[in-house]
Amino acid sequence: MKILLVTHSYGLNGAAILLRDSAQHWVKDKGWEVDALMSDEELATHGEALIAMGITPLTTVNGQPNEYDVALVNTLIDIEFVTKLSPAMPVVLWVHEGNTLLFNWQIGLSSLVRGFAQCSRIVFQTTWQSEHVFKSFIDHLPAQRIQHVPSGVVTEGVAHKSSHALNGPIKLITVGTVYPRKRQMDLVQAVDQLASKYPIECHVLGDYSQANDWLPRIHEDLKNPNAPIKWLGGIQDREKINALLQDADIACFPSGDESHPLALLEAGVCALPMVLSELPPYSHIGWANGKNCLMHPTGNVAQLAAQIERLITDAGLRARLGNNARTMVLSKYSKAKFFENMDKVLAPFEKKKQ
């Protein structure tokens, strides 16, 4: 099997992480050949790492028939490549986006409809995407073209929290690229409120180069060793991220829009109690307020602070939510199951050896 990957980013975002992990699995475990079409900038930044994984980076391809068994276009942002490649090869489109893209993307609706129609397969992470967000764009397509592959994370060998203490310093953590859609500033405001009552600090993991409006606050905190907000930047080392999650008391994810974020699953594996914004896709995944997390209305800083305070003052609630989150992730969202599902999507395109 020879696969062409097409995406705008091989960075630290969830879509890029899932793509890289999948490609490395196909090379090492399946013996498939994987090329990655990328810009000169992405080549300079990520080319060496891809080569080390056994992936061949390219800045151009011929686009001729039979050059590849299948092309995998990662994210709707790159849907233009479906039209460019589909006459010559089957194209699988992997959709990671939710509502935000439709609200902010400058593309004609006819281009979106046409792009979906030209795909051999469309992979969604959740039924929320296919049955709600993009339903009108795909309703006319044959059902077999629509596939669902939930995100998956490493579940084996990951340590998890087994105790929750009261009356000590509280560590919060949030993971994700820092920009408006993720709404980390809601959490910053909540921590500012709680810091007058509790010894608290919050670790923010995520690249903040796109957080233009927040840079004054970020730089102010970075200069103050006693600031309750610790901006740690983007971290690629999964073991370091897991260590920071295990060292935290509470994880908070106040995002305004998601599909199937990895960070929640990674926190869940660590049995870390979570406060989440109340987003429509979460019920499709299995996140449930009061069962395996606490939720707050998106953008409501007072309610976010109130839910964090509930966890600060109730170690039993922390333990119950964390353990239930871990149980759900272990049973449904392992990396092994994720690879199995992605293999099934691509396997029909593999040409049988004569």
Side-chain angles (χ1 to χ4, degrees), residues 161-170 249 311-316 318-319:
K161 295 190 74 65
S162 57
S163 63
H164 300 267
L166 290 178
N167 304 319
I170 293 293
D249 298 295
L311 292 176
I312 290 174
T313 58
D314 191 337
R318 279 191 245 163

Side-chain angles (χ1 to χ4, degrees), residues 157-225:
V158 179
H160 63 280
K161 295 190 74 65
S162 57
S163 63
H164 300 267
L166 290 178
N167 304 319
I170 293 293
K171 287 186 179 180
L172 305 182
I173 191 169
T174 189
V175 183
T177 303
V178 181
Y179 63 117
R181 178 171 67 84
K182 297 286 186 177
R183 301 192 69 92
Q184 286 97 338
M185 197 52 70
D186 289 357
L187 179 57
V188 169
Q189 294 177 61
V191 171
D192 286 345
Q193 293 178 20
L194 293 166
S196 63
K197 299 173 64 177
Y198 304 98
I200 190 171
E201 69 178 35
C202 178
H203 291 175
V204 182
L205 278 65
D207 177 76
Y208 45 78
S209 62
Q210 301 178 55
N212 296 333
D213 293 341
W214 301 346
L215 289 177
R217 170 62 191 259
I218 293 171
H219 291 150
E220 178 185 342
D221 288 337
L222 289 172
K223 289 186 291 186
N224 178 9

Side-chain angles (χ1 to χ4, degrees), residues 14-37:
I17 290 170
L18 287 171
L19 182 67
R20 288 202 314 270
D21 287 353
S22 299
Q24 189 170 22
H25 158 70
W26 292 327
V27 170
K28 295 180 67 174
D29 301 329
K30 303 291 290 184
W32 294 348
E33 186 178 349
V34 179
D35 292 352
L37 181 63

Side-chain angles (χ1 to χ4, degrees), residues 295-318:
M295 291 184 172
H296 70 283
T298 306
N300 190 321
V301 174
Q303 286 296 311
L304 171 58
Q307 296 290 54
I308 294 171
E309 189 166 19
R310 285 182 64 190
L311 292 176
I312 290 174
T313 58
D314 191 337
L317 179 61
R318 279 191 245 163

